[in-house]
Structure formats: structure tokens, C-alpha cells
Amino acid sequence: MHGRVEGARDRCAVPGCDQPGEFKAPLQAANFDGPGTWRFLCLEHVRMHNAKYNYFDGMSAEEIAEAQTPYAGWERATRAFAHAGSDPAPSWSDFADPLDAISGRFRRSQPQAASRFTKGEQRALSVLGLGEDADLKSVRSRYSRLVRRFHPDRNGGDRSHEARLGEVIEAYQLLRKSVAFA
């Protein structure tokens, strides 16, 4: 049965009830301070507890109507739809059809932020598998790891990775002199 706690050994928490307390009932809801507090009740008393529960208790009529809409809670922008500018998050009326939401055609054009790296340095970062947020320490660390991976001495003399090793070395030589790290 849903909600029953297997192996519960205590009695129902209601005074005078001698039935086994097999169902968890919250005394205090979970919050940032912890998981909340619980008491164990028998089936009859947990049904009484649940019958008293009202999700909408303390809400105004407008808040209740808003919570009951089919897409309540979906008005927040997700990472994929969030905009860096001051434009508000898109609403359902912004889409011509549901596929517009998936394809992202609704996005407003935004100016690209200027990069601290030149085009060549950006290519070198991608060779090392790093992003725009890289610092010199992460560049050195990735360079060291890639040299160890592609060097023929570490591959039993196999020179098939030699071209990739050359790209890694060239990328590092360019990035270590970059004014972006000065």
C-alpha cells in the first residue's frame, strides 16, 4: 500500500491508540534547515490527518486560481530560454506553435559580448578543450595532461597522435603569451 513504512515497530502516535504506526505524517514541513519532523500514525489516524490537509489554506482567490492553471509554475525562464538582457522571459503568447519553443526561433537577437581572446586564441582554447573562462593555470594543467596523452613515448612509440600533439603544443605556445592572462 502506498505510504506504508515497512518494518515500523512503534505504535500510533495518537494517545490511546494501540494500532501499529505504519504511516508517516508530517508535523513540520521540510525546509532549508532540514527534512522536517514526522510522526507515525495508524491507517485510520493518517486518513483523518490527510482529510484535514488543505493545500490552498491561507491563499487568496487569485492565488488559488493561478495555482490551478494548467501551466502553473512554468512561467519561470529555464536555462535554455533565459535571456541575459532586460527582456522579460518569453510567455506562451510568444510562440506561433509549440515547435517554436523547442527550436528556439523566438530568441531575440542579442549583441555578442566582446571576448578577451583573439580569434586565434579562441581556436587554441578549443584545441585544448577549454572555454572563455579559462585561466593560465587551467591552460597549463590541460596542456600537461594532453601532452602526456598524445606523446609517442606514452603510446608505445605510436606516432599516429603526433599531429594532434603538435596542435596542442602550438596552442599552448600561443596562449601562454596571451595578453588576456597578463
Side-chain angles (χ1 to χ4, degrees):
M1 179 179 288
H2 179 71
R4 177 172 279 152
V5 177
E6 295 295 325
R9 297 182 183 153
D10 294 335
R11 295 279 173 214
C12 179
V14 175
C17 182
D18 63 345
Q19 296 294 315
E22 299 176 302
F23 299 90
K24 286 172 76 173
L27 283 173
Q28 181 182 9
N31 57 28
F32 289 111
D33 295 329
T37 56
W38 300 84
R39 65 181 178 163
F40 289 87
L41 302 175
C42 66
L43 180 59
E44 179 184 344
H45 287 116
V46 83
R47 283 181 177 159
M48 289 171 45
H49 173 83
N50 289 341
K52 294 178 197 172
Y53 180 76
N54 182 1
Y55 175 80
F56 301 108
D57 190 32
M59 288 184 171
S60 67
E62 293 82 23
E63 291 171 327
I64 293 172
E66 187 176 320
Q68 290 178 333
T69 61
Y71 40 84
W74 288 91
E75 61 276 356
R76 298 182 306 275
T78 62
R79 252 191 262 192
F81 300 135
H83 295 352
S86 60
D87 291 341
S91 68
W92 292 106
S93 61
D94 291 339
F95 305 113
D97 63 58
L99 293 180
D100 279 346
I102 296 168
S103 69
R105 287 183 275 159
F106 70 94
R107 290 189 182 169
R108 295 164 181 86
S109 63
Q110 295 182 3
Q112 292 292 329
S115 173
R116 62 184 179 138
F117 296 104
T118 65
K119 293 282 185 191
E121 292 168 344
Q122 289 174 352
R123 185 185 176 292
L125 284 170
S126 70
V127 167
L128 296 179
L130 297 171
E132 294 274 334
D133 59 341
D135 59 353
L136 191 54
K137 183 179 178 181
S138 62
V139 169
R140 285 182 188 135
S141 174
R142 184 63 58 94
Y143 166 73
S144 176
R145 193 174 324 139
L146 292 174
V147 165
R148 284 193 301 268
R149 181 189 303 168
F150 296 127
H151 199 280
D153 291 346
R154 296 289 284 232
N155 292 307
D158 181 11
R159 294 181 166 260
S160 64
H161 302 290
E162 209 167 52
R164 179 79 169 114
L165 176 64
E167 290 176 1
V168 168
I169 293 171
E170 184 180 332
Y172 176 72
Q173 293 299 326
L174 177 68
L175 288 172
R176 72 181 182 94
K177 300 173 192 169
S178 173
V179 295
F181 297 129

